[in-house]
Amino acid sequence: MTQLLRRPFGTRGEVHRITPADAGWRYVGFALHRLQPGDEVAGATGDREVMLVMVEGKAAITAAGQEWGVLGDRMSVFEKTPPHCLYVPGGQNWQAVAETGCTIAVCSAPCHGGHPARRIGPDGITLTQRGTGTNTRWINNIAMEAEDYCDSLLVTEVFTPAGNWSSYPSHRHDEDDFPRITYLEETYYHRLDPADGWAVQRVYTDDGALDEVMALRDGDVVLVPRGHHPCAAPHGFGLYYLNVMAGPRRHWRFVAAPEVAHLM
Ligand SMILES: O=C(O)C[C@@H](O)[C@H](O)C(=O)CO
């Protein structure tokens, strides 16, 4: 069975690489680069579209035959300011040269050639409250359904205050039966504040065939191939994550877990 919890495999350069082949699924790819000033990273999109997310720090970006200047602003995700991102369609090259220490996420999914390269954020991304009480969390929609920037990628950031839950009430999006539910694979890139903290994510199906409860550390990635996927941040530790979802259609429709359906 695919290992769902992925620790970073390095501290500089590429530290995560999730490919569909490695994950045992068909759509979502996720890589993460941690660069020092002057470091370079480059890629070719091929038959996939890519969303470059400046998670932290600044880098000069060239992509799709254009210079996009220095992208990035916040030096810590916990500043909670909106991210600078760049959408790069299939069949293009991209390159980033770090201006400061920086963390760049490369979110990818199959493309159909429908969208041009473009900057996304920080303008137009507004931190928005979702949920109430201890289920309050704060969302930066980078490219969800309402943002028609991509062929198949859905990308969002979530800030879960210490002591709260998110991706909750538990829900799944693992069947292709639109409009009731859509099939979307998903990755979570997790960060903790302070960084020596921890949080918890459970990935489980209604029949219990999949049921994993994972202790998350700063910088971990979790794969959600199916099932419900709630997160909890303990008192004292704020949780940030970057979600990437993709599937055969670009709609996020989910079904609640039976035990929490009344909370929806
Ligand atoms: O609402 C949240 O707390 C985050 C979720 O939207 C998350 O992106 C997810 O669970 C997607 O299915």
Side-chain angles (χ1 to χ4, degrees):
M1 182 176 132
T2 306
Q3 190 188 334
L4 303 188
L5 178 61
R6 306 291 177 95
R7 308 275 191 215
F9 52 72
T11 55
R12 182 169 177 178
E14 190 177 49
V15 300
H16 281 290
R17 187 192 305 148
I18 314 296
T19 64
D22 159 69
W25 59 28
R26 287 177 288 161
Y27 297 94
V28 170
F30 182 80
L32 193 88
H33 301 269
R34 295 191 59 195
L35 306 181
Q36 296 295 321
D39 287 356
E40 290 183 27
V41 59
T45 55
D47 60 358
R48 298 175 69 75
E49 60 181 2
V50 162
M51 183 74 75
L52 300 174
V53 179
M54 293 301 305
V55 177
E56 288 171 333
K58 305 179 188 191
I61 311 276
T62 307
Q66 284 185 61
E67 289 186 9
W68 299 86
V70 175
L71 303 194
D73 183 23
R74 65 185 185 197
M75 300 308 288
S76 160
V77 290
F78 293 103
E79 292 169 23
K80 298 192 179 75
T81 51
H84 295 213
C85 311
L86 186 75
Y87 173 78
V88 189
Q92 303 292 338
N93 296 314
W94 62 269
Q95 183 196 39
V97 181
E99 293 262 321
T100 66
C102 66
T103 302
I104 305 176
V106 184
C107 317
S108 72
C111 67
H112 317 298
H115 293 87
R118 63 175 290 165
R119 275 192 66 161
I120 297 169
D123 297 343
I125 300 178
T126 305
L127 195 63
T128 307
Q129 181 174 350
R130 189 180 289 168
T132 57
T134 53
N135 203 40
T136 300
R137 65 272 194 205
W138 296 88
I139 312 289
N140 273 335
N141 282 323
I142 296 173
M144 289 300 286
E145 225 174 295
E147 293 83 36
D148 185 21
Y149 307 146
C150 315
D151 295 345
S152 46
L153 276 170
L154 295 161
V155 184
T156 194
E157 291 186 313
V158 179
F159 297 88
T160 311
N164 282 15
W165 288 78
S166 61
S167 295
Y168 187 85
S170 308
H171 58 273
R172 64 184 176 88
H173 37 72
D174 52 9
E175 288 178 65
D176 188 13
D177 186 24
F178 183 77
R180 183 180 67 88
I181 183 172
T182 47
Y183 172 86
L184 294 169
E185 300 157 357
E186 185 168 19
T187 55
Y188 279 69
Y189 166 61
H190 288 286
R191 298 293 300 274
L192 272 299
D193 178 30
D196 63 353
W198 52 272
V200 173
Q201 184 164 24
R202 181 181 180 199
V203 179
Y204 66 106
T205 53
D206 292 330
D207 64 4
L210 172 62
D211 194 349
E212 290 197 27
V213 181
M214 287 162 275
L216 310 171
R217 293 188 215 148
D218 188 53
D220 287 348
V221 169
V222 169
L223 277 55
V224 181
R226 62 187 180 282
H228 311 288
H229 38 276
C231 297
H235 177 65
F237 302 132
L239 174 67
Y240 158 95
Y241 49 80
L242 172 65
N243 281 144
V244 184
M245 296 190 281
R249 62 167 63 233
R250 193 171 179 268
H251 294 281
W252 179 41
R253 297 289 185 280
F254 53 83
V255 169
E259 75 278 9
V260 296
H262 67 286
L263 296 175
M264 278 292 183

